Amino acid sequence: MTAADRPHASKTRLLDAAMRVIRAQGYAATTVEDICAAAGLTKGSFFHHFASKEELALAAAAHFAANADALFAQAPYRALPDARERVLGYVDFRKTLLTGTLPEFTCLLGTMVQETYATHPALREACETHIKAHADTIARDAAAARAERAPDAGWSAESLALFTQAVLQGAFILAKAGGGPAVADACLSHLRRYLELLFDQPESKE
């Protein structure tokens, strides 16, 4: 690693540490010292990159979203030719991610926005932006599946995509309450069955 690479590497370590620590103990309970300890860096390094904990949290939200974008872009369901199967495949893929400890599979964005929506408007807006951007990727497949399977349905692809995120965030809360992923897995199974019912009309052969 060159000297020019080191500042970038230390910033990434802080972002990765922030994702782990905030998901484990929440935004309010997390201190700059906690993040530095988790990253193995000094406070001097922290303040070289970030002016405050909130500035780091905003960057961590973007970092989390970018990592998620890359992960889902390469997921196997993305290659499925049928839009309905891609929507269902998204849920199946989310189920495969319910592994490891709670901080490893729960959502940084959902964790932060629950705490900060009334006190840190910039964080609330950032979390909303990233959650909606992820939902938009689902909405594109949902719109294609609706056109093929349920063209007369009285719901929009955008609202359905946001509903999937509501189920996921609720499932993560229940997993935290229950101390494990089993309840989240069951919630996603119900979500999959619901989506199957929405798209149960046969594809048009015109």
Side-chain angles (χ1 to χ4, degrees), residues 82 147-149 151 201-206:
D82 182 76
E148 295 169 356
R149 305 278 183 155
Q201 298 183 31
E203 184 176 356
S204 173
K205 299 300 183 182
E206 294 180 2

Side-chain angles (χ1 to χ4, degrees), residues 1-20:
M1 180 183 296
T2 67
D5 292 330
R6 279 193 287 273
H8 176 73
S10 62
K11 184 176 183 179
T12 300
R13 284 167 62 184
L14 288 165
L15 292 171
D16 289 341
M19 291 196 306
R20 295 193 304 272

Side-chain angles (χ1 to χ4, degrees), residues 19 59-73 109 130:
M19 291 196 306
H63 186 59
F64 179 84
N67 286 347
D69 287 346
L71 176 66
F72 284 91
L109 306 175
H130 296 309

Side-chain angles (χ1 to χ4, degrees), residues 1-140:
M1 180 183 296
T2 67
D5 292 330
R6 279 193 287 273
H8 176 73
S10 62
K11 184 176 183 179
T12 300
R13 284 167 62 184
L14 288 165
L15 292 171
D16 289 341
M19 291 196 306
R20 295 193 304 272
V21 177
I22 293 172
R23 282 193 285 181
Q25 60 192 46
Y27 177 79
T30 296
T31 65
V32 170
E33 290 80 4
D34 292 333
I35 294 167
C36 290
L41 295 169
T42 65
K43 289 180 70 174
S45 180
F46 179 95
F47 286 110
H48 174 75
H49 295 292
F50 304 104
S52 64
K53 184 177 79 169
E54 181 174 1
E55 185 176 302
L56 169 63
L58 288 168
H63 186 59
F64 179 84
N67 286 347
D69 287 346
L71 176 66
F72 284 91
Q74 298 173 12
Y77 74 90
R78 297 302 317 154
L80 297 173
D82 182 76
R84 174 184 181 275
E85 294 307 309
R86 290 196 299 275
V87 174
L88 298 176
Y90 168 79
V91 179
D92 294 338
F93 184 66
R94 295 296 316 220
K95 285 166 68 71
T96 70
L97 301 179
L98 297 174
T99 60
T101 64
L102 286 164
E104 290 176 309
F105 69 77
T106 52
C107 179
L108 174 71
L109 306 175
T111 298
M112 288 202 299
V113 78
Q114 288 175 60
E115 287 189 71
T116 65
Y117 71 94
T119 55
H120 294 74
L123 280 176
R124 182 200 63 75
E125 292 171 8
C127 291
E128 179 188 33
T129 295
H130 296 309
I131 290 171
K132 284 187 172 180
H134 182 71
D136 285 344
T137 66
I138 304 159
R140 289 193 287 272

Side-chain angles (χ1 to χ4, degrees), residues 84 149-150 195-203:
R84 174 184 181 275
R149 305 278 183 155
L195 293 171
E196 289 173 339
L197 291 173
L198 287 184
F199 298 122
D200 66 354
Q201 298 183 31
E203 184 176 356

